[in-house]
Amino acid sequence: AQTVTQSQPEMSVQEAETVTLSCTYDTSENNYYLFWYKQPPSRQMILVIRQEAYKQQNATENRFSVNFQKAAKSFSLKISDSQLGDTAMYFCAFMILPGDDKIIFGKGTRLHILP
Amino acid sequence: GAVVSQHPSWVICKSGTSVKIECRSLDFQATTMFWYRQFPKQSLMLMATSNEGSKATYEQGVEKDKFLINHASLTLSTLTVTSAHPEDSSFYICSASRDPNSPLHFGNGTRLTVT
């Protein structure tokens, strides 16, 4: 069975610092997607970044980047120059494609950016 | 193991028919459940908040007569897509928590295809 583990329930960093959120997963599949979602108090789930497992290059989106280590089954999210608006719950998720259409979420990391 | 079960994991239906998706919390009572819809390569859009024993709260732009939500017990919420059309084809995900301060658990999602 596939699992996603986020080992940091809560983190706090000062504004402008860099923070890394960890995520590990377990699967025997070779083709899959990995996601990081940001959940503000509104409960929306905002897609922060997505990584296809077949791509070796780490995905980046502005201040957000990932360190994807396929062999180690690790998918950490790095937020550079953190901003107060980055304060939120962050969920790591995993989906096997094609065909399975099952998404598995980690338990989330609550990130506080301190002024 | 899974704490939120979503059923079915996939369903194909004909245009004009209705489809019901179930979301169950397996080992806790969830006063609130959330329903999301995922569009390809996009964030999860919060459709509605399902409150046990009362009417669901729908997000702006979500048709409440089309997406009927029933939260009849503390462990079950259902989403019924009425008179489904091909544009309703999507991936629907539910989540639940014991209370607003408890961790949020996600179902594995339901792939709906309307032909």
Side-chain angles (χ1 to χ4, degrees):
Chain A
Q2 290 86 19
T3 59
V4 176
T5 302
Q6 291 179 250
S7 59
Q8 305 147 312
E10 199 158 0
M11 298 180 71
S12 296
V13 295
Q14 294 293 135
E15 190 178 7
E17 289 185 348
T18 295
V19 60
T20 299
L21 281 60
S22 67
C23 173
T24 58
Y25 59 95
D26 188 22
T27 183
S28 57
E29 299 292 330
N30 196 44
N31 295 318
Y32 48 87
Y33 283 164
L34 291 160
F35 309 88
W36 276 100
Y37 287 96
K38 172 185 178 182
Q39 188 186 54
S42 67
R43 295 286 193 171
Q44 290 288 352
M45 293 284 279
I46 302 165
L47 180 62
V48 174
I49 204 162
R50 185 179 83 153
Q51 174 85 40
E52 289 91 341
Y54 67 86
K55 290 186 177 179
Q56 291 186 332
Q57 187 173 7
N58 289 326
T60 62
E61 287 290 341
N62 301 313
R63 296 183 295 108
F64 299 88
S65 62
V66 296
N67 183 4
F68 174 46
Q69 302 289 330
K70 191 172 183 179
K73 297 178 183 173
S74 171
F75 183 62
S76 60
L77 174 69
K78 185 172 81 171
I79 306 174
S80 303
D81 186 26
S82 57
Q83 301 174 358
L84 296 179
D86 296 333
T87 293
M89 194 77 171
Y90 288 81
F91 289 94
C92 178
F94 166 95
M95 176 182 265
I96 297 173
L97 288 172
D100 195 353
D101 281 338
K102 182 169 68 176
I103 190 165
I104 299 164
F105 287 87
K107 293 186 177 181
T109 296
R110 186 170 299 282
L111 177 63
H112 301 275
I113 306 300
L114 306 173
Chain B
V3 295
V4 171
S5 172
Q6 197 171 332
H7 178 80
S9 56
W10 62 270
V11 58
I12 302 172
C13 70
K14 291 186 177 181
S15 186
T17 62
S18 295
V19 174
K20 180 184 286 187
I21 303 170
E22 294 186 348
C23 181
R24 293 181 184 272
S25 56
L26 298 182
D27 60 359
F28 65 98
Q29 292 183 329
T31 55
T32 305
M33 292 184 175
F34 303 91
W35 286 97
Y36 296 88
R37 177 175 177 175
Q38 183 184 50
F39 294 93
K41 300 183 180 181
Q42 293 185 29
S43 301
L44 301 181
M45 182 192 78
L46 178 64
M47 299 174 65
T49 302
S50 170
N51 304 297
E52 189 270 336
S54 64
K55 292 183 179 180
T57 303
Y58 289 82
E59 296 297 306
Q60 192 172 9
V62 178
E63 298 177 61
K64 58 183 67 176
D65 293 331
K66 180 162 190 63
F67 298 99
L68 299 178
I69 291 174
N70 186 338
H71 195 156
S73 77
L74 285 171
T75 60
L76 174 64
S77 175
T78 60
L79 168 68
T80 301
V81 183
T82 63
S83 187
H85 290 284
E87 56 264 32
D88 299 324
S89 298
S90 190
F91 193 56
Y92 294 86
I93 301 167
C94 73
S95 66
S97 65
R98 285 183 177 85
D99 55 62
N101 296 318
S102 293
L104 194 61
H105 302 281
F106 290 85
N108 290 152
T110 297
R111 170 70 63 187
L112 170 62
T113 302
V114 184
T115 61

